[in-house]
Amino acid sequence: KLFDDSQIPAFKALADSVHAYGTKLGVQLFHPEYDVDAINSLFMQKKFDEMRQRLHHDMMFFTDEVSEEMLMAIIDKMCACAVRAQKAGVDVIQIHGDRLNGCLCSTRMNHRTDKFGGSLENRVRFARMLTRAIRKAVPDMVIDYKLSIVTPQRGKGGIDEADAVQFAQWLVEDGVDMFHVAQANHTGNMADTIPPMGVQPYGFFVKIAGDIKKAVNVPVSAVGRIVDAEMAARVIESGMADIVAMGRPLLADPDWGTKIAAGKACDIRRCISCNKGCTDAIQNRQFLSCVLNAENGYENTRSIQPAAQKKKIAVLGGMGELGDWAKREHEAIGRLVAQTGLDALITMGDLAKDIAQSAKVAGMTAGYTTDTHEQAARQLKELLHDGDTVLLKGSRSFAMEKILPYFERK
């Protein structure tokens, strides 16, 4: 937060740390769609029931009820925040096009009848006034605008897709230096803006970003399930965007950019959009982590190092899904696994015993369980020594919830 001068030193320390690596730092400015001062006052008075009632009311009606005088005061506060960011050494101000700003732009959430409602020009009036005011307050800073777009299928708090090009052109006139084009939210469904696997295709918002890029003469960034270097390169090469933005992929692999620079893009750990450690955690008021990155969120307690004695151990499950073929060929499966160079094998499921026995016959250390995950964990423990490292491949529920609870977390 950067609403007070006392918070500047902390942001300066952050900016200095980022600049030490030759990188730029941006901060996003937004105002919630509720009366912040009123909510804070009720909180400080410990009037929690009243606070919740006010918050629920404002989330539905503040956009229509906020006075012009308060809107002007909000602009002043956001400009003051931008000035503090500049003093801290921040390089870029991003104006958030959702929240209160997007609600005022929205045809679905703005029902005002004054000069801030009705026509397109009126609905975007606050956004344009805010942009011009920030440009005047920090004339030498880069202004990025998060252009939150409402599509016919998704979103509420933002500009309609049909009006987005015109709005973007006006914002360039007002002083915007670049755009971040993204899906608008405010539906109460995080899957709209941070879609899990199977909900939206890869690069689902790239075409809309391309529509904006064709209409403006400033850089445009695209976002939305862009998870590897080849995908990002195609977006840039297609001319749809100048910049690729990403969030979840950096949780899965914080060395994303470093690996590309080193010519090792194939080593990037791809985000699978499961949302288990990130979005789900946010909704449950928990800290961020990642099911593909065991250190993420646990940096102070976990540090993955090479094992003193390396072993390759496989836990093989789900063979029953292969049906009659697996039943007929379990001996061949066991022999094939024995040839992989694994040090040990643990099999689970209906065919576990047969496959494990076939692997043993082929000269491999193998165990099996046809019953519980506890038995599988016990078999695994018997094959391990202190310092061994094991890679469990499979679903998160299998590895994290079924097997690891039987081990001490170290």
Side-chain angles (χ1 to χ4, degrees):
K1 295 180 179 180
L2 197 50
F3 60 81
D4 187 84
D5 287 352
S6 64
Q7 297 160 331
I8 293 176
F11 275 82
K12 186 178 188 307
L14 175 62
D16 291 345
S17 298
V18 169
H19 292 158
Y21 292 91
T23 307
K24 303 299 183 183
L25 176 66
V27 297
Q28 183 185 83
L29 299 187
F30 74 91
H31 192 283
E33 55 282 18
Y34 52 81
D35 188 334
V36 174
D37 292 336
I39 297 296
N40 285 342
S41 176
L42 292 170
F43 179 84
M44 296 304 295
Q45 297 176 63
K46 298 183 179 180
K47 297 180 179 180
F48 300 126
D49 287 339
E50 293 181 41
M51 181 194 73
R52 282 188 285 268
Q53 292 174 6
R54 179 61 184 268
L55 184 60
H56 290 315
H57 173 87
D58 279 4
M59 291 293 285
M60 295 180 64
F61 301 110
F62 185 73
T63 301
D64 294 337
E65 295 177 350
V66 58
S67 68
E68 180 178 349
E69 180 182 9
M70 182 175 287
L71 287 175
M72 297 305 101
I74 289 171
I75 289 177
D76 290 341
K77 290 179 180 179
M78 295 181 74
C79 287
C81 187
V83 171
R84 293 187 193 98
Q86 184 181 48
K87 291 179 179 178
V90 172
D91 304 288
V92 180
I93 295 293
Q94 183 185 75
I95 300 174
H96 195 351
D98 203 323
R99 306 303 301 263
L100 175 61
N101 193 12
C103 291
L104 286 166
C105 293
S106 173
T107 56
R108 305 186 187 189
M109 302 190 72
N110 183 342
H111 311 97
R112 301 174 71 104
T113 56
D114 62 358
K115 65 180 182 181
F116 293 100
S119 66
L120 173 63
E121 291 82 355
N122 284 353
R123 285 183 284 108
V124 302
R125 187 183 303 276
F126 175 82
R128 298 192 65 185
M129 293 175 69
L130 173 62
T131 301
R132 290 194 293 264
I134 290 179
R135 171 50 69 211
K136 183 177 180 180
V138 286
D140 299 325
M141 293 190 74
V142 173
I143 295 181
D144 180 26
Y145 194 98
K146 182 177 180 181
L147 191 62
S148 299
I149 296 179
V150 177
T151 64
Q153 297 78 26
R154 291 177 173 84
K156 291 171 64 179
I159 193 74
D160 283 351
E161 183 179 355
D163 298 323
V165 166
Q166 177 63 75
F167 183 36
Q169 292 172 334
W170 285 339
L171 288 172
V172 172
E173 295 175 5
D174 297 330
V176 165
D177 297 301
M178 57 189 293
F179 289 100
H180 174 61
V181 181
Q183 172 73 60
N185 200 346
H186 258 85
T187 60
N189 183 3
M190 291 287 281
D192 283 349
T193 50
I194 315 177
M197 60 177 77
V199 173
Q200 290 276 47
Y202 291 114
F204 68 93
F205 227 68
V206 170
K207 181 183 180 303
I208 295 178
D211 293 338
I212 300 300
K213 178 170 169 52
K214 293 175 186 176
V216 297
N217 59 355
V218 299
V220 171
S221 71
V223 71
R225 297 201 69 199
I226 302 170
V227 299
D228 62 31
E230 291 184 3
M231 198 179 299
R234 288 197 298 270
V235 172
I236 303 301
E237 292 167 359
S238 70
M240 293 289 189
D242 304 283
I243 304 165
V244 168
M246 57 190 60
R248 290 175 293 175
L250 297 180
L251 297 177
D253 193 340
D255 296 320
W256 211 93
T258 304
K259 289 178 179 178
I260 292 177
K264 298 181 178 179
C266 59
D267 292 341
I268 290 174
R269 186 188 303 116
R270 284 169 46 116
C271 170
I272 60 174
S273 304
C274 67
N275 284 3
K276 292 297 183 182
C278 51
T279 305
D280 288 0
I282 293 173
Q283 292 180 309
N284 290 315
R285 302 296 187 265
Q286 298 172 348
F287 64 90
L288 286 175
S289 61
C290 179
V291 301
L292 298 180
N293 181 357
E295 291 177 312
N296 192 302
Y298 298 90
E299 288 82 358
N300 291 331
T301 57
R302 293 181 184 174
S303 179
I304 299 175
Q305 302 296 331
Q309 181 182 1
K310 295 183 179 180
K311 288 188 176 182
K312 298 176 182 177
I313 299 176
V315 179
L316 185 63
M319 297 304 294
E321 296 176 2
L322 298 180
D324 292 338
W325 178 84
K327 293 178 182 178
R328 293 194 307 269
E329 303 295 337
H330 63 81
E331 291 185 4
I333 295 172
R335 291 195 301 271
L336 182 63
V337 172
Q339 296 171 13
T340 61
L342 292 169
D343 296 298
L345 169 71
I346 296 174
T347 54
M348 302 175 62
D350 295 338
L351 301 174
K353 183 177 180 180
D354 294 333
I355 295 174
Q357 181 60 34
S358 298
K360 286 180 179 179
V361 170
M364 185 178 186
T365 301
Y368 72 93
T369 174
T370 58
D371 191 7
T372 66
H373 294 94
E374 182 178 3
Q375 290 178 354
R378 189 183 305 118
Q379 292 274 358
L380 187 56
K381 282 184 176 181
E382 291 175 358
L383 299 174
L384 296 176
H385 300 88
D386 288 343
D388 286 350
T389 298
V390 178
L391 173 65
L392 290 178
K393 294 291 286 182
S395 68
R396 179 179 188 271
S397 60
F398 168 74
M400 298 298 292
E401 299 172 10
K402 304 299 185 182
I403 299 297
L404 289 188
Y406 297 102
F407 290 81
E408 294 182 11
R409 298 294 183 94
K410 293 184 179 180

